[in-house]
Amino acid sequence: IVTGDTSATAVEIARQAGLWQEGDNEENYITGVEFEHLSDKEAAVAAMKIKVMSRARPTDKMRLVRLLQEQGQVVAVTGDGTNDAPALNYADVGLSMGSGTAVAKEASDIILLDDSFSSVTTAVRWGRSIYLNIQKFIWFQLTINLVALVTALTGPFIGIELPLTVTQMLWVNLIMDTFAALALASEPSYPEVMKNKPRGVNDFIITKSMFRGILSWGLIFLAVLISLLVWFKWDGNISTYELSLFFTVFVMLQFWNMFNARSLSSTKSAFSSLSANKYFILIALLIVALQFIIIETGGKFFRTEPIRAIDWVYIIAGTSIVLWVGELRRYILRRGACK
């Protein structure tokens, strides 16, 4: 709390807000005058410990923001008065009150129309949720890209010029860029995201765990698909029916992996709160339905032949192992977290 109020008032407000604890002492409290007299080196150390600054002037607020930023901190400032404007403008995120002065609003990035600090929490939660949804889509998309690219490059080396045709790739691209984007971007905001640690200022959107997931799942899918092509090619020939089976296996592997993407950076089941995202359910059903139509009626345009019902059962059941392996991993992680 950085305020122009008296010391007693500032500390009491901090105590009621839960900021000031019993163990806090004088190094957690300072006045604007005392802060001004500190050297930059001393002030930088004090800035990381201060919980309350009373009798603060606009220059004190500005200096505190600058010192925190120089130490790699992301600084958000809230205020409603003209004297808050410099700090609001200089902060990484400036939040002014809807009832505040025009100068404070002009200097801010966000205006709290309801003057409620709970709105800040809501904004942070949605910000984190949207960022996570983007990560889910990127994880899903890059996995497909890796598999499709290496499959297309490997095909000619094993005697299959086009494992996937241009029209088939366009359909895969539609799943990847449109349907998956809609399904994963429409994931609702969950309160659990507030338990995650804030990410660093310079953190890349693809984390180490995401990279490992893309690489591991991509290699598993490649092993399955290349093995399937080699098996079909074993007798020296590969029929349109076998290529239709291969195409369906490819799509269904990505279909089940879309459920795994829902639980990225989480130990929750992929089916957790599934009913809360009706778009995801609708798009999942649409992908399966359109894949069935393409296989059964695509003909020469998609280079497909109708597949027997028993083969549909084998493919759907076999590729679903992708989801069950993911569910088993998340279950083990949940159990480990509970111990």
Side-chain angles (χ1 to χ4, degrees):
I1 293 177
V2 183
T3 176
D5 285 332
T6 63
S7 304
T9 303
V11 171
E12 179 58 23
I13 291 172
R15 187 189 62 78
Q16 291 183 22
L19 178 64
W20 190 267
Q21 305 292 332
E22 286 185 14
D24 292 330
N25 52 44
E26 58 183 16
E27 70 176 6
N28 304 115
Y29 163 79
I30 200 169
T31 65
V33 175
E34 292 170 341
F35 190 64
E36 182 187 23
H37 290 146
L38 295 176
S39 67
D40 281 350
K41 188 175 181 180
E42 292 171 331
V45 174
M48 299 300 292
K49 299 177 181 178
I50 293 170
K51 289 189 174 183
V52 177
M53 182 189 294
S54 66
R55 292 300 187 190
R57 296 156 298 181
T59 51
D60 299 322
K61 298 176 183 180
M62 270 284 296
R63 188 187 188 198
L64 179 62
V65 170
R66 180 177 60 81
L67 289 170
L68 288 169
Q69 288 175 329
E70 287 175 356
Q71 296 180 78
Q73 301 297 313
V74 177
V75 184
V77 173
T78 61
D80 60 359
T82 302
N83 64 338
D84 295 316
L88 286 168
N89 185 57
Y90 203 84
D92 295 293
V93 183
L95 302 105
S96 64
M97 303 301 170
S99 60
T101 64
V103 175
K105 293 178 184 177
E106 185 66 26
S108 301
D109 302 295
I110 299 170
I111 300 173
L112 303 176
L113 297 176
D114 58 1
D115 285 6
S116 173
F117 281 106
S118 63
S119 297
V120 179
T121 306
T122 304
V124 171
R125 192 183 79 184
W126 272 103
R128 288 186 175 192
S129 297
I130 291 169
Y131 187 85
L132 181 57
N133 287 350
I134 294 171
Q135 286 183 313
K136 292 175 181 178
F137 170 64
I138 290 173
W139 184 84
F140 177 74
Q141 185 185 51
L142 290 183
T143 305
I144 291 186
N145 275 333
L146 174 65
V147 176
L149 177 64
V150 178
T151 300
L153 290 173
T154 307
F157 288 99
I158 56 176
I160 303 169
E161 188 175 348
L162 288 173
L164 295 169
T165 66
V166 173
T167 49
Q168 288 173 350
M169 287 297 290
L170 285 172
W171 165 233
V172 171
N173 202 54
L174 184 63
I175 295 174
M176 177 177 66
D177 288 340
T178 306
F179 291 157
L182 289 171
L184 297 171
S186 57
E187 280 289 293
S189 173
Y190 300 109
E192 290 82 2
V193 296
M194 297 301 284
K195 296 178 182 178
N196 298 340
K197 291 182 179 179
R199 64 181 182 274
V201 181
N202 300 315
D203 283 0
F204 189 45
I205 194 168
I206 300 175
T207 63
K208 289 182 180 179
S209 61
M210 284 176 64
F211 180 77
R212 287 195 297 268
I214 291 166
L215 197 60
S216 57
W217 280 113
L219 291 175
I220 291 169
F221 292 163
L222 281 170
V224 171
L225 293 168
I226 300 302
S227 298
L228 198 61
L229 286 175
V230 171
W231 183 41
F232 287 152
K233 187 68 176 174
W234 193 259
D235 58 358
N237 242 340
I238 187 163
S239 65
T240 302
Y241 186 86
E242 289 171 329
L243 288 171
S244 299
L245 292 175
F246 174 80
F247 176 41
T248 306
V249 169
F250 183 97
V251 170
M252 292 308 298
L253 284 172
Q254 311 310 327
F255 169 79
W256 292 116
N257 202 36
M258 190 169 69
F259 285 83
N260 284 333
R262 278 198 81 227
S263 298
L264 183 70
S265 302
S266 170
T267 59
K268 293 193 302 182
S269 167
F271 300 105
S272 176
S273 305
L274 185 59
S275 59
N277 189 353
K278 293 182 174 58
Y279 288 108
F280 187 95
I281 299 171
L282 180 63
I283 288 169
L285 293 173
L286 185 63
I287 289 173
V288 175
L290 289 177
Q291 180 66 20
F292 179 82
I293 292 170
I294 287 170
I295 291 296
E296 297 300 314
T297 64
K300 290 183 178 179
F301 184 76
F302 276 100
R303 196 191 65 186
T304 59
E305 285 184 8
I307 295 175
R308 293 172 298 182
I310 189 64
D311 286 334
W312 275 108
V313 173
Y314 288 150
I315 290 172
I316 292 172
T319 55
S320 69
I321 293 173
V322 171
L323 174 59
W324 305 128
V325 168
E327 285 290 277
L328 178 62
R329 176 181 172 274
R330 288 185 286 272
Y331 173 75
I332 293 170
L333 290 174
R334 279 199 306 273
R335 289 293 300 272
C338 291
K339 291 180 180 179

